[in-house]
Amino acid sequence: MSPTDPSQNLGIRTPGRGALSNLAGRYERHARMSESDGWEQDGDLPPLRTHVAIETARSLITYNRSPDLPFDRSINPYRGCEHGCVYCFARPTHAYLGLSPGLDFETRLVARPNAAEVLRAELSARRYMVAPIAIGTNTDPYQPIEKTHRITRDCLAVLAEFNHPVAIVTKGALIERDLDILGPMAARGLARVGISLTTLDADLSRRMEPRAPSPNRRLAMIRALTGAGVPVRLMTSPLVPGLTDHEMEALLAAGAEAGADTASWIMLRLPREVSQLWQEWLADHRPNHAAKVMARLREMHGGRDYDPRWGHRMRGEGQYAEMMAQRFRAACKRVGLAQQAPALRCDLFLVPPQPGDQLSLF
């Protein structure tokens, strides 16, 4: 394995990427090693390119029974995410593909171009019972590859045709392209969008979320969405103790000023491989904060980096967690942000006539 292959080298600064390593996924049989082939090259390694594999989806809607999630079903047009947010809790899912939750997660993506076709079939099934579908709860549906693949847009068009309620979570400015679909859906009570805003510090954002839009651009997205009549939830997620937690009130005020009507927050989560990736990032980008950040997290998770128990995993527990919850409630009240959004409508759902259907005589 050549050291000039940046996707396999560990601990190498990779321009425009979030993870600093490509640690082996937990289902890979052998640890990843970087060995010299005798050819040494001076200077920086070439930038990592994004590779997109095509997957034919056999099913699309994923159901969950988690009591701490506000939805019971979701769809994900893509696997992996080019935004490269180093803290992303979805990184460990790449291990199921035999890939690394590190650099592979943000450079080796999977697109599902038949997603809209499969979605149409699943919504048309006689046993289907309507409830809001969440998009973007795992990987971002408006990451850069959506510009060419347009899978999210195709799925939205199907949902609009069926009058099916949808809640989207994104950092991607490309969502503005789809206001022609989302605006009319929102007018019928069928659509809501959550915009994640982690910090107002543009430099910190670029380091943590290297290919996501800047904080100011995300605030502009909120203005564009609400201007088109689409209600927006400001997601101050994740809050990083000892690094971004002091910004909570400023984030909520900025979101309210941009037009958001509701807000939510989640503490930084470090499941499985994310903990090592995050700590590598801290040591490289914010070494003076590393000890405080990890001490706070462990304080909220019983001495561990992460507690996966339902009811605890999103916000932790203890004095510090409760203080953050109190600050959030007080700040929301001060700037006029609700913590609970109105329910999306499910009573308009209707399976449209399909090609070949027999027309009714009445």
Side-chain angles (χ1 to χ4, degrees):
M1 187 176 298
S2 168
T4 60
D5 177 3
S7 69
Q8 303 302 332
N9 278 287
L10 305 182
I12 298 296
R13 177 72 63 83
T14 328
R17 300 296 178 177
L20 298 181
S21 66
N22 214 29
L23 68 161
R26 56 193 179 280
Y27 299 113
E28 295 185 65
R29 296 181 61 185
H30 304 288
R32 296 182 176 216
M33 303 293 292
S34 179
E35 299 177 356
S36 172
D37 60 2
W39 179 46
E40 303 296 337
Q41 184 178 16
D42 294 331
D44 293 335
L45 293 170
L48 277 175
R49 303 298 182 189
T50 300
H51 299 276
V52 182
I54 299 301
E55 174 186 282
T56 300
R58 290 181 293 180
S59 63
L60 193 67
I61 302 175
T62 299
Y63 293 87
N64 77 81
R65 296 180 180 178
S66 173
D68 52 7
L69 292 178
F71 56 90
D72 72 348
R73 65 199 68 186
S74 60
I75 63 176
N76 288 288
Y78 304 102
R79 302 184 193 274
C81 185
E82 198 175 6
H83 282 159
C85 304
V86 66
Y87 53 71
C88 182
F89 65 84
R91 284 181 176 273
T93 62
H94 239 45
Y96 294 111
L97 304 178
L99 298 172
S100 171
L103 289 169
D104 281 351
F105 178 79
E106 50 195 282
T107 60
R108 299 179 66 179
L109 313 180
V110 178
R112 312 169 83 186
N114 69 324
E117 176 186 344
V118 174
L119 178 61
R120 179 182 296 278
E122 291 179 339
L123 298 183
S124 299
R126 291 190 176 187
R127 298 179 63 181
Y128 181 76
M129 300 293 291
V130 63
I133 283 180
I135 305 179
T137 57
N138 197 45
T139 58
D140 201 311
Y142 287 104
Q143 58 181 287
I145 60 172
E146 165 65 14
K147 184 174 182 179
T148 53
H149 289 270
R150 300 172 67 88
I151 300 172
T152 300
R153 181 175 176 85
D154 289 344
C155 289
L156 275 183
V158 171
L159 293 171
E161 186 180 353
F162 281 72
N163 278 328
H164 195 293
V166 61
I168 299 172
V169 174
T170 186
K171 295 183 181 80
L174 191 57
I175 193 172
E176 295 173 358
R177 177 202 62 189
D178 293 342
L179 287 176
D180 61 322
I181 300 176
L182 288 169
M185 288 187 74
R188 302 195 299 276
L190 296 173
R192 169 171 284 274
V193 173
I195 300 296
S196 173
L197 187 63
T198 52
T199 178
L200 295 175
D201 183 332
D203 178 70
L204 179 58
S205 175
R206 183 59 60 210
R207 292 170 185 266
M208 285 198 304
E209 311 153 328
R211 297 199 172 195
S214 69
N216 282 339
R217 185 66 183 89
R218 286 181 233 177
L219 291 170
M221 289 160 51
I222 296 175
R223 294 187 184 96
L225 286 160
T226 56
V230 181
V232 173
R233 174 167 55 104
L234 177 73
M235 304 170 63
T236 55
S237 307
L239 283 170
V240 183
L243 187 61
T244 67
D245 53 347
H246 67 283
E247 294 189 71
M248 176 189 278
E249 289 81 2
L251 291 168
L252 292 169
E257 188 278 330
D261 62 355
T262 57
S264 63
W265 71 284
I266 295 175
M267 194 64 72
L268 175 67
R269 299 166 55 191
L270 300 178
R272 296 186 181 273
E273 296 91 345
V274 182
S275 180
Q276 179 180 335
L277 292 165
W278 171 253
Q279 292 185 67
E280 288 173 355
W281 182 91
L282 273 179
D284 191 76
H285 291 283
R286 290 293 188 272
N288 294 335
H289 293 77
K292 181 177 181 180
V293 170
M294 295 309 300
R296 285 291 194 196
L297 287 171
R298 290 166 183 150
E299 174 189 327
M300 290 184 288
H301 294 299
R304 295 183 291 171
D305 294 352
Y306 177 62
D307 182 351
R309 289 178 299 157
W310 286 335
H312 298 273
R313 58 181 182 157
M314 300 294 190
R315 296 179 180 174
E317 57 187 346
Q319 266 189 336
Y320 178 79
E322 179 54 34
M323 179 190 70
M324 294 301 295
Q326 291 176 5
R327 284 176 55 190
F328 179 81
R329 290 192 292 268
C332 283
K333 183 177 181 180
R334 186 161 55 249
V335 299
L337 287 170
Q339 296 179 55
Q340 186 68 37
L344 295 171
R345 294 186 65 176
C346 294
D347 59 309
L348 300 179
F349 176 76
L350 183 65
V351 178
Q354 304 296 310
D357 286 353
Q358 185 175 356
L359 298 177
S360 171
L361 297 177
F362 303 97

